[in-house]
Amino acid sequence: MSSTPPSDTPPTVVNLNRFRKAKARSDKRVQADGNAVKFGRTKAQKALEEAQKAKAQAALDAHKRDDTP
């Protein structure tokens, strides 16, 4: 026999779906954070890359030959 006295409060009923979904959300958050670190770029990095791309395109356009007679 157990030595714990019976309590006056009934056991708490829990919704297992709530805990399952909470764990799934937590797992997705961890995965998303990992992907953000691995693949993400800051706004400054995106702007720098866009500026470099525009400068390179301008340099190419400046060296185009005009073949029209």
Side-chain angles (χ1 to χ4, degrees):
M1 297 209 25
S2 87
S3 62
T4 57
S7 65
D8 293 335
T9 59
T12 305
V13 178
V14 294
N15 186 346
L16 295 180
N17 280 334
R18 183 188 314 158
F19 291 106
R20 179 182 53 82
K21 289 179 181 182
K23 181 171 176 8
R25 281 192 298 269
S26 173
D27 291 345
K28 279 187 174 184
R29 175 69 59 144
V30 168
Q31 180 70 32
D33 290 343
N35 285 344
V37 169
K38 192 186 295 185
F39 300 111
R41 296 179 297 163
T42 64
K43 189 180 282 191
Q45 289 171 329
K46 290 177 188 178
L48 176 65
E49 185 176 313
E50 189 66 33
Q52 288 172 339
K53 189 186 300 184
K55 184 177 178 182
Q57 187 63 42
L60 282 175
D61 290 342
H63 290 90
K64 270 189 178 176
R65 288 179 39 180
D66 190 20
D67 287 341
T68 57

